[in-house]
């Protein structure tokens, strides 16, 4: 007899839990054994007894929390099945950020895929998303409304470069999340032929150095010194979104405030943050890719973890797919306390 | 269309005037005729087509999308055109379409839709019938991307709203060729989209276009505020004075076209043709020439307040009832041309004589002279300004916001030349209010909390409370801004996006002395009053919040009208 999906995976206050394998996935509180999809701080927290994740994700956690962030660390090789209790587990690239993975769990002929955060768009800084057919697909819905369609990220980068050419006496200050988005933007700038130094806010430095140590070339990325801020006319400076318009940004010459985020698709969002050059670049799936991915997995049942759950659940239902929202708390707030949009930060 | 859309997109987010100018010039430089000319027409509101109604756009979207998904999306985005631009599905696009078997998917071997140019859009709109419009618009939406669709929808609904005035767009054209914007202004009303002759001229490829307009707009002459230290330098004998009326500055021009038919136009200060809003005044322009004056509402010979005038403005339909209730009146200051004669090089004193003769000949009660205010010394004028009612203005004193002081020898020069005309405004009202919220500014001020909402005390249901009465974002120096910004950051109690609520109460809070020009009743404000031109005149670091003013102080100003010149100042000293 085939197992019910809830035998394979259930929801607990700590997060998603697999009773047959006795582990949690991306738990928001310390647990005995955690499987972690990717290194963003809302998914990868410290303090678990044992952590299983890709090598890159473990090293990102080392950088962020120090090497003793968990009692035991185990690397999950991509594409290889592992036995955990009564289930078989496999990590597959999710295309979200460096090291990000989907986790599939199989037991008794039922396969459940926890996709974590994922995108289908191309990204020079991480492995591309790989489709895993399954019975139950667990998806995020950060951009789960049909108004969110991400354009080609390269065209957005060209917008930035055109602005730099038109306003050579001003500093372009670009807000980008410190893990993933910032490095993707740097890599795209290089691919578009920008070869001048890309200046970094101090908070960007460690993770950018880490990306470089993983073999991703980002060119010269000097840290901005307080004394030289006023001399950076014509430069591109990348900082965390919370610093875009804070006291830190004041010393730059007549800055142009830029922000790379999927939220920038909606004008009121961009305006509310005082952004002058919004760049719609996201590390999440847009609406079309959420729908396409659900279809392609062939899943008969979809659980929506966080984001704009209602619209995606509505779409699934009208397309003959069983779906339910999990309304999970604690996701979508990676470290952007002050200026995070109300319904989620990491985007 | 894509380049134009990209320009509008950038302009919509850019707060700085000079940066906007540069963006527009860059677009003009890199866009061929006639495309750029239609863009100029769009930015100067000169495009002639019937605008599409929101209903049409909503209808198109509802045909293509699942109603529930559309509802959730509109709720989230909050703007209809933007929602439709973002949600618009390509033909056969399954992830948004209603899940109905009746919508057959469109084959993939259709050729990709043709991306329209702005020129095509404008030319098609001018000739398409109302019934064909939806299909046309749908076809364009299919071909454009999100930004293109947004720009198209804003264009066809005539709701561009990207913070560009007609004047700014004309300035951008002028600067292409290093020409003064006023030169473009002078020939503007004889030109038509797509302005190929204008671009040829500013780029040095063609002759200056003739102004074929029999009733052209001429840029008005503006004044500088009179500062305390100016009096020592200025000799009262060189100047004439008149009242500064609290209305809307207009230019009324009357001429004849080549067939001898009368052409009469009324322009705003910025050159916008507003004739259609004032048919009663157009009718009265029985002269040949151009005059400069103030639009007022006059009932039974009495000038009404600006609040009354506002009720005549911004109405879509100008009905006979509106005209009867709010009769438009022009109180004239100056004459620019008469017949074929350009009077602008004459001294003001001589133009004034010509103006007096012209108004006398007209003999129309809807057009009268702004009376001169006689004075010998600056002290005389100060007395008149402090009490216009007894200095000749009589009951019209309510509609006076100070004096205009004009050099008798001044020619009529476009723009704001130095040394000729001065405005000496009445002292503002002052009120001590408590800061309640700070909001981040824009552009250069985006890292500062520079917009302050302030309140005064009132008796609420739970005792004494502060009620917000206004918001101000200027009046302070850059050094004061740094201090105010720090104050907001250090006294924040709550955050709402870009807004911070600060500490306030009887025993804490920062008192701001707010200056303002007037008050009106408002149902949109919790306090029931709205201020005109509020600004921070002083920061009262020393004053306890409990001693700030009460709502009754504002109520009294409302009740008194604007009869007294500076009631609060007197009270305080």
């Amino acid at each position: 007899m085939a197992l019910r999906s809830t035998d394979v995976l259930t929801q607990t206050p700590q997060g998603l839990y697999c009773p047959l394998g006795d582990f949690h996935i991306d738990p928001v509180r310390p647990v005995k054994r955690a499987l972690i999809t990717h290194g963003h701080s809302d998914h990868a927290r410290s303090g678990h007894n044992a952590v299983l994740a890709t090598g890159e994700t473990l090293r990102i956690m080392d950088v962020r929390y120090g090497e003793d962030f968990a009692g035991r660390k185990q690397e999950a090789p991509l594409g290889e099945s592992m036995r955990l209790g009564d289930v078989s587990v496999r990590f597959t690239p999710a295309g979200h950020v460096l090291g990000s993975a989907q986790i599939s769990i199989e037991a008794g002929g039922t396969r459940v895929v926890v996709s974590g955060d994922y995108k289908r768009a191309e990204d020079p800084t991480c492995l591309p998303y790989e489709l895993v057919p399954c019975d139950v697909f667990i998806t995020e819905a950060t951009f789960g409304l049909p108004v969110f369609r991400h354009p080609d990220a390269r065209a957005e980068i060209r917008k930035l470069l055109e602005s730099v050419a038109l306003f050579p006496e001003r500093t372009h200050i670009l807000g980008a999340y410190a893990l993933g988005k910032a490095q993707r933007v740097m890599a795209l700038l290089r691919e578009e032929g920008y070869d001048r130094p890309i200046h970094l806010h101090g908070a960007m430095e460690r993770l950018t150095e880490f990306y470089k140590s993983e073999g991703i070339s980002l060119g010269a990325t000097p840290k901005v010194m307080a004394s030289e801020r006023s001399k950076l006319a014509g430069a591109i400076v990348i900082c965390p979104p919370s610093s875009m318009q804070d006291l830190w940004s004041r010393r730059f010459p007549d800055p142009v405030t830029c922000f790379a985020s999927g939220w920038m698709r909606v004008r009121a969002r961009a305006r509310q943050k005082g952004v002058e050059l919004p760049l719609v670049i996201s590390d999440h799936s847009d609406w079309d890719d959420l729908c396409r991915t659900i279809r392609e997995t062939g899943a008969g049942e979809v659980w929506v973890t966080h984001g704009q759950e209602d619209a995606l659940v509505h779409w699934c239902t009208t397309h003959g797919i069983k779906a339910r929202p999990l309304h999970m708390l604690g996701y979508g707030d990676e470290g952007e306390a002050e200026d995070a949009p109300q319904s989620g930060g990491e985007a | 269309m894509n380049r134009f859309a990209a320009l509008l997109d950038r302009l919509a987010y850019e707060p700085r005037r000079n940066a906007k100018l540069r963006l527009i010039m860059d677009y003009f430089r890199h866009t061929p005729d006639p495309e750029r000319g239609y863009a100029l027409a769009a930015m100067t509101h000169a495009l002639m087509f019937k605008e599409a109604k929101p209903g049409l756009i909503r209808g198109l979207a509802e045909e293509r999308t699942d109603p529930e998904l559309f509802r959730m999306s509109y709720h989230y985005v909050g703007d209809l055109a933007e929602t439709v631009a973002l949600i618009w599905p390509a033909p056969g696009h399954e992830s948004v379409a209603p899940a109905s078997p009746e919508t057959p998917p469109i084959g993939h071997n259709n050729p990709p839709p043709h991306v329209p140019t702005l020129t095509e859009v404008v030319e098609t709109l001018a000739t398409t019938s109302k019934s064909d419009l939806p299909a046309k618009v749908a076809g364009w939406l299919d071909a454009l991307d999100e930004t293109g669709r947004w720009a198209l929808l804003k264009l066809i609904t005539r709701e561009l709203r990207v913070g560009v005035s007609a004047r700014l767009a004309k300035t951008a054209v002028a600067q292409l060729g290093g020409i003064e914007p006023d030169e473009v202004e002078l020939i503007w009303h004889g030109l038509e989209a797509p302005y190929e002759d204008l671009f040829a001229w500013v780029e040095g490829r063609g002759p200056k276009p003739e102004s074929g307009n029999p009733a052209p707009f001429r840029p008005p002459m503006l004044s500088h505020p009179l500062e305390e230290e100016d009096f020592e330098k200025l000799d009262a004998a060189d100047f004439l004075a008149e009242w500064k009326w609290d209305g809307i500055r207009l230019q009324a021009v009357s001429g004849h076209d080549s067939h001898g038919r009368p052409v009469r136009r009324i322009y705003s200060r910025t050159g916008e043709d507003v004739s259609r809003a004032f048919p009663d005044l157009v009718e009265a322009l029985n002269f040949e020439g151009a005059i400069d004056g103030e639009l007022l509402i006059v009932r039974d010979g009495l000038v009404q307040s600006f609040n009354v005038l506002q009720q005549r403005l911004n109405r879509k339909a100008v009905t006979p009832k509106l005209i009867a209730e709010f009769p438009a009146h022009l109180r004239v200051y100056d004459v620019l041309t008469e017949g074929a004669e350009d009077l602008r090089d004459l001294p003001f004193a001589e133009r004034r004589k010509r103006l007096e003769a012209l108004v006398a000949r007209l003999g129309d009660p809807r057009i009268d002279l702004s009376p001169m205010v006689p004075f010998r010394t600056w002290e005389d004028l100060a007395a008149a300004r402090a009490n216009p009612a007894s200095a000749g203005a009589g009951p019209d004193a309510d509609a006076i916001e100070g004096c205009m002081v004009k050099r008798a020898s001044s020619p009529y020069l476009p723009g704001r030349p130095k040394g000729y005309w001065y405005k000496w405004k009445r002292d503002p009202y002052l009120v001590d209010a408590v800061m309640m919220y700070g909001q981040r500014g824009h552009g250069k001020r985006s890292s500062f909390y520079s917009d302050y909402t302030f309140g005064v005390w009132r008796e609420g249901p739970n005792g004494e409370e502060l009620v917000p009465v206004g918001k101000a974002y200027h009046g302070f120096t850059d050094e004061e801004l740094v201090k105010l910004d720090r104050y907001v950051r250090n006294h924040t109690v709550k955050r709402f996006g870009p807004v911070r609520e600060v500490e306030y109460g009887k025993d804490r809070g920062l008192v701001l002395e707010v200056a303002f020009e007037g008050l009106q009743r408002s149902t949109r404000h919790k306090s029931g009053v709205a201020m005109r031109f509020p600004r921070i005149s002083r920061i009262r670091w020393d004053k306890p919040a409990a001693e700030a003013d009460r709502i009754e102080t504002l109520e009294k100003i409302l009740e008194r009208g604007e009869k007294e010149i500076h009631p609060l100042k007197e009270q305080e000293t």
Side-chain angles (χ1 to χ4, degrees):
Chain A
M1 191 187 84
L3 287 164
R4 283 177 308 157
S5 56
T6 46
D7 296 333
V8 181
L9 205 63
T10 61
Q11 211 180 342
T12 68
Q14 288 78 23
L16 291 169
Y17 175 67
C18 174
L20 293 173
D22 190 23
F23 59 82
H24 285 84
I25 296 180
D26 292 352
V28 295
R29 295 178 207 166
V31 298
K32 207 167 77 197
R33 172 147 44 185
L35 275 59
I36 291 188
T37 59
H38 66 282
H40 279 140
S41 58
D42 47 338
H43 294 258
R45 297 175 195 249
S46 61
H48 307 304
N49 281 345
V51 166
L52 175 64
T54 64
E56 291 88 347
T57 299
L58 291 175
R59 291 192 287 281
I60 287 168
M61 294 176 78
D62 284 343
V63 171
R64 298 196 123 171
Y65 303 122
E67 296 197 1
D68 56 352
F69 68 83
R72 219 151 37 81
K73 297 183 269 186
Q74 188 188 349
E75 180 172 337
L78 285 169
E80 281 179 29
S81 293
M82 310 165 76
R83 197 77 202 163
L84 285 182
D86 294 333
V87 299
S88 153
V89 168
R90 191 158 61 99
F91 283 62
T92 319
H96 177 55
V97 294
L98 181 62
S100 66
Q102 314 170 63
I103 298 171
S104 40
I105 310 164
E106 266 186 85
T110 297
R111 184 189 287 159
V112 177
V113 168
V114 180
S115 56
D117 291 336
Y118 62 101
K119 73 168 174 289
R120 309 290 300 266
E122 188 241 330
D123 181 343
T125 66
C126 66
L127 291 173
Y129 174 91
E130 254 176 58
L131 187 75
V132 185
C134 58
D135 304 293
V136 181
F137 186 61
I138 302 184
T139 183
E140 53 133 337
T142 305
F143 292 112
L145 271 177
V147 292
F148 289 110
R149 293 220 193 86
H150 308 325
D152 175 13
R154 280 166 216 281
E156 298 295 290
I157 291 292
R158 284 195 290 273
K159 247 198 247 177
L160 171 62
L161 292 175
E162 279 168 24
S163 182
V164 170
L166 190 59
F167 298 105
E169 77 288 8
R170 303 172 67 181
T171 307
H172 283 68
I173 297 189
L174 174 73
Y177 298 109
L179 170 60
K181 185 72 60 62
Q183 295 78 22
R184 184 179 176 207
V185 165
M186 293 178 220
L188 287 170
L189 277 167
R190 297 306 182 207
E191 288 190 7
E192 290 299 316
Y194 186 77
D195 54 9
R196 288 154 58 192
I198 298 169
H199 302 266
L200 299 186
H201 183 284
M204 296 287 169
E205 219 184 2
R206 278 186 312 155
L207 284 164
T208 302
E209 288 310 313
F210 167 73
Y211 264 63
K212 288 181 181 174
S213 73
E214 293 282 315
I216 294 159
S217 51
L218 302 171
T221 58
K223 180 180 158 184
V224 176
M225 296 298 169
S227 57
E228 62 175 20
R229 273 183 259 172
S230 57
K231 296 176 198 127
L232 287 176
I236 295 175
V237 176
I238 303 186
C239 69
S242 56
S243 302
M244 265 184 327
Q245 312 183 306
D246 212 12
L247 306 165
W248 178 80
S249 70
R250 268 186 209 167
R251 299 286 294 279
F252 293 98
D254 197 10
V256 180
T257 311
C258 320
F259 187 22
S261 163
W263 298 114
M264 294 298 98
R265 182 89 275 179
V266 174
R267 280 163 197 280
R269 279 286 175 100
R271 242 177 265 128
Q272 194 216 29
K273 288 177 83 83
V275 175
E276 292 153 31
L277 183 60
L279 303 175
V280 189
I281 301 178
S282 172
D283 285 335
H284 292 261
S285 287
D286 65 4
W287 171 260
D288 290 348
D289 281 346
L290 288 171
C291 296
R292 173 164 74 107
T293 306
I294 289 171
R295 272 225 189 275
E296 289 177 0
T297 60
E301 190 175 335
V302 169
W303 300 358
V304 186
T305 52
H306 62 284
Q308 306 283 336
E309 296 114 313
D310 295 349
L312 198 60
V313 167
H314 172 83
W315 181 85
C316 288
T317 312
T318 54
H319 287 74
I321 300 164
K322 216 167 111 188
R324 64 185 178 97
L326 300 184
H327 300 301
M328 290 180 76
L329 301 178
Y331 296 114
D333 59 353
E334 154 117 1
E336 303 298 346
E338 181 182 2
D339 283 301
Q342 302 93 326
S343 54
E346 176 60 43
Chain B
M1 187 75 205
N2 279 336
R3 271 204 64 88
F4 179 60
L7 171 68
L8 292 185
D9 188 45
R10 253 336 273 283
L11 289 172
Y13 291 114
E14 178 56 68
R16 296 160 175 81
R17 180 181 178 277
N18 285 337
K20 281 183 202 272
L21 206 52
R22 197 136 25 119
L23 288 164
I24 301 171
M25 285 169 68
D26 185 61
Y27 171 83
F28 286 152
R29 273 199 201 99
H30 296 104
T31 310
D33 289 321
E35 190 80 352
R36 58 180 176 175
Y38 286 116
L40 176 60
M43 289 185 280
T44 52
H45 319 290
L47 286 176
M48 294 296 171
F49 57 78
K50 186 139 179 54
E51 74 268 15
K53 295 278 183 293
L56 179 147
I57 292 159
R58 183 191 281 269
L60 285 174
E62 281 170 354
E63 267 175 39
R64 293 270 188 118
T65 56
D66 176 293
E68 188 62 14
L69 290 178
F70 184 80
R71 187 191 61 76
M72 290 188 220
S73 298
Y74 186 24
H75 178 77
Y76 183 86
V77 174
D79 177 278
L80 180 68
E82 189 180 344
T83 308
V84 174
L86 293 177
I87 202 174
W88 188 259
H93 197 285
E94 61 150 356
S95 64
V96 197
S100 131
E102 290 153 37
T103 344
I106 291 171
H108 285 294
N109 36 11
N110 290 346
H114 161 72
V115 177
T117 61
L118 174 61
T119 308
E120 281 174 67
V121 169
V122 170
E123 287 174 352
T124 309
L125 285 173
T127 54
T128 301
S129 71
K130 205 176 160 191
S131 56
D132 293 341
L133 192 60
K136 281 274 184 238
V137 173
W140 290 331
L141 291 173
D142 284 345
L144 292 163
D145 65 8
E146 280 83 355
T147 308
R149 291 192 290 260
W150 168 78
L152 177 78
L153 294 174
K154 291 288 170 185
L155 178 76
I156 67 173
T157 50
R158 291 188 183 277
E159 300 260 340
L160 278 191
R161 299 212 184 134
V162 293
V164 172
S165 64
R167 175 76 180 176
L168 190 70
K170 291 176 210 168
T171 304
V173 180
Q175 289 195 358
L176 281 185
I179 287 168
E180 282 300 309
D182 285 334
E183 293 223 31
V184 173
E185 207 70 81
L186 277 175
I187 54 167
W188 179 258
H189 287 280
L191 304 174
E192 271 178 23
Y195 309 107
E196 289 178 42
D197 48 351
L198 173 66
F199 281 105
W201 172 54
V202 298
E203 289 174 345
R205 295 181 286 106
K208 181 172 180 177
E210 289 288 312
S211 169
N213 185 347
F217 170 71
R218 293 168 179 85
M221 181 157 173
L222 306 172
S223 62
H224 289 271
L226 197 55
E227 309 289 350
E228 206 60 48
E229 61 270 20
D230 290 329
F231 292 106
E232 289 172 26
K233 289 178 277 177
L234 305 177
D235 183 349
D238 295 339
F239 287 88
L240 298 169
E242 60 189 311
W243 301 121
K244 184 172 184 348
W245 296 95
D246 192 9
I248 305 269
R249 184 95 177 269
L250 292 180
Q251 188 176 116
V253 192
S254 186
H256 288 90
D257 66 12
S258 51
H259 307 284
R261 286 180 299 230
V263 177
R264 293 167 177 177
R265 294 214 175 100
I266 296 177
Y267 296 103
S268 73
R269 211 180 83 167
T270 53
E272 205 184 327
D273 185 345
V274 294
S275 314
R276 259 181 299 177
F278 306 105
D280 44 341
L281 207 51
V282 169
E283 201 179 271
L285 305 181
N286 286 312
F287 58 89
E288 187 98 354
I291 54 178
D292 176 348
E294 195 87 11
L295 173 73
L296 300 168
I297 299 294
V298 174
R299 283 180 189 149
D300 306 321
L302 284 181
V303 181
Q304 305 297 305
S305 73
F306 191 81
N307 293 348
V308 176
L309 173 57
Q310 272 189 322
Q311 299 173 58
R312 167 85 193 243
L313 305 173
N314 305 323
R315 295 293 187 90
K316 274 202 171 155
V318 182
T319 59
K321 183 167 173 272
L322 184 74
I323 291 175
E325 269 180 57
F326 302 95
H329 183 98
L330 191 63
R331 185 147 285 181
V332 295
Y333 296 134
D334 215 324
V335 55
L336 285 69
T337 65
E338 199 174 6
E341 197 184 348
D342 193 333
L343 308 178
R344 286 176 292 175
D345 287 337
L346 295 180
F348 174 64
E350 276 184 51
R351 286 201 311 278
R352 173 76 192 186
K353 283 184 196 130
R354 298 282 294 259
L355 180 68
E356 286 169 4
L358 187 149
V359 171
R361 271 200 312 279
L362 264 181
D364 191 308
R366 287 169 289 191
I367 299 180
D368 68 2
L369 275 173
S370 169
M372 302 307 286
V373 181
F375 71 101
R376 233 167 32 81
T377 64
W378 293 128
E379 288 71 31
D380 293 346
L381 191 60
R385 167 177 165 272
N387 194 351
S390 57
D396 286 349
D398 283 5
I400 286 171
E401 52 167 4
C403 290
M404 289 301 302
V405 181
K406 298 178 174 178
R407 196 175 282 279
S409 64
S410 73
Y412 194 97
L413 298 169
R416 214 182 286 275
K418 286 209 169 80
Y420 292 111
W421 287 9
Y422 297 92
K423 55 185 165 199
W424 193 11
K425 279 202 175 187
R426 176 191 59 199
D427 290 338
Y429 296 99
L430 296 173
V431 68
D432 284 332
V434 182
M435 184 196 282
M436 300 175 75
Y437 305 93
Q439 185 175 350
R440 275 179 196 267
H442 294 278
K444 273 191 175 7
R445 284 176 165 190
S446 56
S447 70
F448 290 94
Y449 288 89
S450 62
D451 302 10
Y452 312 105
T453 300
F454 45 83
V456 295
W457 293 106
R458 76 167 175 194
E459 186 63 42
N462 306 312
E464 286 285 286
E465 61 174 20
L466 283 165
V467 60
V469 289
K471 189 173 174 184
Y473 46 87
H474 59 95
F476 37 80
T477 64
D478 287 352
E479 291 81 60
E480 285 174 326
L481 172 58
V482 171
K483 287 187 193 155
L484 286 166
D485 172 71
R486 197 179 305 139
Y487 180 86
V488 172
R489 290 173 190 274
N490 292 343
H491 295 85
T492 302
V493 292
K494 267 187 224 157
R495 294 170 184 188
F496 316 89
V499 177
R500 289 184 181 208
E501 182 171 356
V502 296
E503 275 191 313
Y504 53 79
K506 283 279 175 198
D507 54 349
R508 75 201 78 151
L510 177 61
V511 176
L512 302 171
E513 183 185 273
V514 178
F516 58 99
E517 296 302 315
L519 276 182
Q520 64 188 105
R521 295 207 184 270
S522 162
T523 48
R524 281 177 46 207
H525 295 79
K526 201 174 166 187
S527 59
V529 298
M531 285 182 177
R532 268 186 87 195
F533 303 130
R535 65 261 181 199
I536 310 295
S537 63
R538 267 198 299 169
I539 308 167
R540 297 294 306 265
W541 301 105
D542 56 311
K543 190 160 186 167
E547 291 174 26
D549 279 301
R550 304 183 52 82
I551 191 76
E552 289 79 13
T553 311
L554 295 178
E555 292 286 347
K556 262 187 229 154
I557 296 176
L558 265 178
E559 284 160 22
R560 277 198 297 251
E562 298 182 353
K563 287 198 178 80
E564 290 164 51
I565 296 306
H566 42 79
L568 295 178
K569 252 195 176 165
E570 285 163 356
Q571 233 171 56
E572 213 171 61
T573 47

